[in-house]
Amino acid sequence: MMDMPEPDLFSLAGRRALITGASRGIGLTLAKGLARYGAEVVLNGRDADSLKAAQAELEKAGHRASIAVFDVTDQDAVIAGVEVIAQQGPIDILINNAGIQRRAPLDQFARKDWDDLISTNLNAVFFVGQAVARHMIPRGKGKIVNICSVQSELARPGIAPYTATKGAVKNLTKGMATDWARHGLQINGLAPGYFATEMNSKLVADEAFTDWLCKRTPAARWGQVEELVGAAVFLSSDASSFVNGHMLMIDGGITASL
């Protein structure tokens, strides 16, 4: 009897992934990473020009990419946008990445900034996750990866409302898995620690903060966004077929030590 080749558990060939907030930063990096492993990617955001530039970059590298312009904080727009994407082909993978940050002392935190954080970091995860799951459930399979944070577990001065949103996304992820795992879906969280991103550019440039971070983190450095790709591919692939409601920390060990 001939030995059969082992399946490539991490291959995303033939699968289609929707990534929110994909015109730059972590979202674009993850889109490129999933595409390298064979996925066709659908880039979402609000700025069509930025998305087109990202699409061109992916296509130049030989990947299949399209764009979907809608506001993830608008539930009606999300439902309509996801319906259009689903009509063009199945959505096998969702990366719920769109997010914002606002920093201020908690006793001075503005209501508008609070509302913006809740709308983008939490409501959008529910809106897009629900809309996509409604298409995945009848097919009996699907992968949803919600981008959480080290702040899903730990607080730091000046960002309590952001911490609240990311803690909520962690537990929403568990709730999604509890409701939808029986339908063949895997819903997990990917939680970056401190990464050198555009959102963190002021912190990266702050020598005192960087010194504190390197002393606080066992790996003694900032993370690089490309280091998130492997975890995203794992959670998007058959390799994680029995992983559900889990939050995978990519943080250089910061949550493992005092």
Side-chain angles (χ1 to χ4, degrees):
M1 183 176 178
M2 293 179 61
D3 290 335
M4 298 297 291
E6 287 292 324
D8 187 345
L9 290 177
F10 296 92
S11 173
L12 301 178
R15 302 187 190 183
R16 197 156 168 258
L18 168 62
I19 303 100
T20 68
S23 63
R24 61 184 180 179
I26 288 175
L28 180 55
T29 298
L30 295 184
K32 291 177 180 177
L34 266 59
R36 288 200 303 271
Y37 279 78
E40 174 187 349
V41 294
V42 182
L43 311 174
N44 161 261
R46 292 182 293 183
D47 182 16
D49 290 339
S50 296
L51 290 173
K52 288 176 182 176
Q55 178 188 18
E57 189 175 348
L58 279 154
E59 290 179 339
K60 185 177 180 181
H63 304 307
R64 297 178 64 193
S66 59
I67 67 171
V69 183
F70 58 83
D71 183 350
V72 292
T73 69
D74 180 338
Q75 188 173 27
D76 290 337
V78 167
I79 292 170
V82 168
E83 183 63 32
V84 170
I85 298 168
Q87 288 175 358
Q88 298 166 348
I91 303 171
D92 302 293
I93 302 159
L94 166 64
I95 308 291
N96 254 325
N97 166 74
I100 60 172
Q101 174 66 288
R102 298 285 186 270
R103 296 182 177 93
L106 185 57
D107 58 304
Q108 301 171 31
F109 209 88
R111 170 63 188 273
K112 184 181 185 306
D113 287 338
W114 170 270
D115 289 344
D116 287 347
L117 282 168
I118 294 293
S119 182
T120 304
N121 293 1
L122 179 57
N123 289 351
V125 174
F126 168 65
F127 294 159
V128 184
Q130 182 188 64
V132 170
R134 286 171 174 167
H135 291 275
M136 290 178 168
I137 288 169
R139 296 174 56 235
K141 59 181 178 178
K143 300 278 189 174
I144 297 177
V145 180
N146 296 326
I147 302 303
C148 299
S149 169
V150 67
Q151 262 74 51
S152 296
E153 295 288 351
L154 302 174
R156 188 173 62 77
I159 57 168
Y162 178 85
T163 301
T165 64
K166 289 301 184 178
V169 171
K170 170 191 171 182
N171 270 357
L172 178 57
T173 300
K174 292 178 180 292
M176 287 177 169
T178 300
D179 279 6
W180 297 338
R182 70 194 69 184
H183 300 293
L185 279 60
Q186 288 88 50
I187 305 93
N188 294 289
L190 190 159
Y194 285 90
F195 279 72
T197 64
E198 184 176 333
M199 184 183 291
N200 287 330
S201 59
K202 290 183 179 179
L203 294 179
V204 174
D206 185 332
E207 292 184 7
F209 184 87
T210 293
D211 180 65
W212 169 84
L213 177 67
C214 291
K215 290 176 180 176
R216 174 68 179 80
T217 305
R221 63 177 175 86
W222 285 89
Q224 300 302 312
V225 289
E226 292 78 11
E227 293 176 293
L228 296 170
V229 170
V233 169
F234 167 66
L235 294 176
S236 299
S237 70
D238 289 341
S240 58
S241 61
F242 202 56
V243 180
N244 239 319
H246 178 69
M247 189 172 71
L248 179 54
M249 305 297 301
I250 315 295
D251 66 354
I254 198 169
T255 54
S257 66
L258 290 172

